[in-house]
Amino acid sequence: MLLRLPAVSVYTVPTDAPEADGTFAWDTTTVVFAEVSAGDATGTGWTYGPPAVGDFLRDHLAPLVVGRSSLDVPAVHDVLVRAVRDAGRPGIAACAISALDIALWDLKARLLELPLARLLGVARERVPVYGSGGFTTYHDKHLAAQLNGWVHGQHIPRVKMKIGESEGRAVARDLGRVRAARRVVGEAAELYVDAGGAYTRKQAVRVGQALAEHGVSWFEEPVASDDLAGLRLIRDSVVCDVTAGEHGYDLPSFARLIAAGAVDCLQVDATRCGGITEFLRAAALAQAHGLEISAHGAPHAHAAAAASLPNLRHLEWFHDHVRVEAMFFDGVLDPTGGTVRPTAGVGHGLTLRTDEVEDFRVA
């Protein structure tokens, strides 16, 4: 069956409280949807980014898929990648490609009347998740309530919080918040931190050594993700795993992180790197080098593909994206117990609630 012109829509949703990490603050989340149809089926994909992603998707990429085979997703992916050569792939173009690619895989599974996880092939029935939020703007009671909800309410045994407040200039507060978090989650839960690239190299080493005292096992982006030498230095100097990769927009960017020995676990985001097609390739690249991967953000866009990976560590149950996806979709997953099972229904198992979210539409 041949593809028809994709529909593109953009929505901006206010956060439920002011949010920030080590280097950035925000109070809205913008999601861009692509809906691709062939025959009687429609596949839905999405990404998170500025409204310009929707403009680029609608004006430059959507017309390129018309008339192409709905079953040949890698061929369509290649057309999209070639089309952004002169515009530049990282950033807006890569996010737009990602939304379309996710929609194409969802469509293919629906045409074949299969769960997307079964189409890709399941390596695990259940995908481990970790609760993610703990923004630097949260007061102590808010942080405690969120962590307590994940660990003691939903029984998710691993959680992540933001540190690196004020571009790394509030280390004492960072470590105080980590101490408080450990008291809330208890000794048995895994505790992760994300510095958002806020620290300098030696500063991150000192922070990492202090984090070890609180049993922190995951130190995400201690320095900027493109500082490969810095990531390697920190990785060699601290006990906890050093991770990065969420800002990888193509396969070579992951290859550079791996070749530099910069990470203990590679983060990959299908809504940025080129969709499920490139997500699976990045996972294979990591496996060839003895690394696990962790799926970054957008949990419902990743869950089915994550189930197909033998070298998956876990999936990020990110507060903002979980909230948006629960508002916009029927069929969302339940992380109670610390895992999700993405094998129900057809496609990725979600149905977009277009009418219910119309008030948030901006394009």
Side-chain angles (χ1 to χ4, degrees), residues 48-282:
Y48 294 92
V53 174
D55 295 336
F56 190 86
L57 202 166
R58 183 185 299 107
D59 297 340
H60 297 280
L61 298 184
L64 299 178
V65 311
V66 176
R68 299 186 185 277
S69 169
S70 57
L71 300 182
D72 297 332
V73 180
V76 180
H77 185 274
D78 188 55
V79 168
L80 299 176
V81 169
R82 290 178 184 274
V84 303
R85 184 195 66 178
D86 292 345
R89 179 171 172 180
I92 286 173
C95 289
I97 291 171
S98 300
L100 265 180
D101 185 83
I102 294 166
L104 289 166
W105 279 106
D106 181 39
L107 172 62
K108 180 174 180 177
R110 290 174 188 272
L111 288 170
L112 297 175
E113 299 183 348
L114 289 171
L116 178 55
R118 298 296 180 197
L119 174 64
L120 297 173
V122 171
R124 63 186 75 230
E125 291 287 335
R126 292 192 171 275
V127 175
V129 303
Y130 69 88
S132 173
F135 304 105
T136 59
T137 45
Y138 281 5
H139 55 69
D140 292 347
K141 289 184 178 179
H142 193 164
L143 175 63
Q146 187 179 66
L147 296 174
N148 185 67
W150 285 324
V151 175
H152 304 297
Q154 293 181 295
H155 305 289
I156 299 173
R158 54 196 83 82
V159 291
K160 186 176 78 181
M161 59 185 289
K162 305 292 189 183
I163 62 172
E165 184 176 340
S166 301
E167 298 182 350
R169 292 190 289 268
V171 172
R173 174 165 160 76
D174 289 338
L175 296 178
R177 293 175 70 246
V178 170
R179 282 194 297 272
R182 175 53 76 190
R183 288 195 296 270
V184 170
V185 303
E187 295 300 320
E190 296 180 52
L191 181 59
Y192 303 162
V193 299
D194 176 4
Y199 297 129
T200 64
R201 294 179 182 182
K202 288 295 185 65
Q203 184 185 30
V205 171
R206 294 190 293 271
V207 171
Q209 291 168 346
L211 292 172
E213 299 174 11
H214 305 294
V216 173
S217 56
W218 173 280
F219 196 179
E220 184 175 326
E221 288 196 333
V223 294
S225 58
D226 55 1
D227 182 6
L228 303 183
L231 288 169
R232 176 60 187 266
L233 169 70
I234 298 157
R235 183 189 180 200
D236 288 343
S237 304
V238 300
V239 174
C240 48
D241 283 355
V242 170
T243 70
E246 67 181 73
H247 296 114
Y249 289 106
D250 55 19
L251 203 57
S253 63
F254 300 117
R256 289 190 290 271
L257 275 168
I258 293 170
V263 295
D264 294 292
C265 182
L266 183 68
Q267 291 179 282
V268 187
D269 189 332
T271 71
R272 291 176 178 169
C273 73
I276 291 171
T277 298
E278 206 81 330
F279 178 80
L280 298 175
R281 292 170 180 170

Side-chain angles (χ1 to χ4, degrees), residues 341-362:
R341 187 172 186 172
T343 53
V346 294
H348 48 46
L350 304 172
T351 303
L352 189 59
R353 298 171 176 163
T354 306
D355 294 338
E356 290 90 335
V357 296
E358 184 62 30
D359 288 347
F360 298 112
R361 185 163 182 166
V362 296

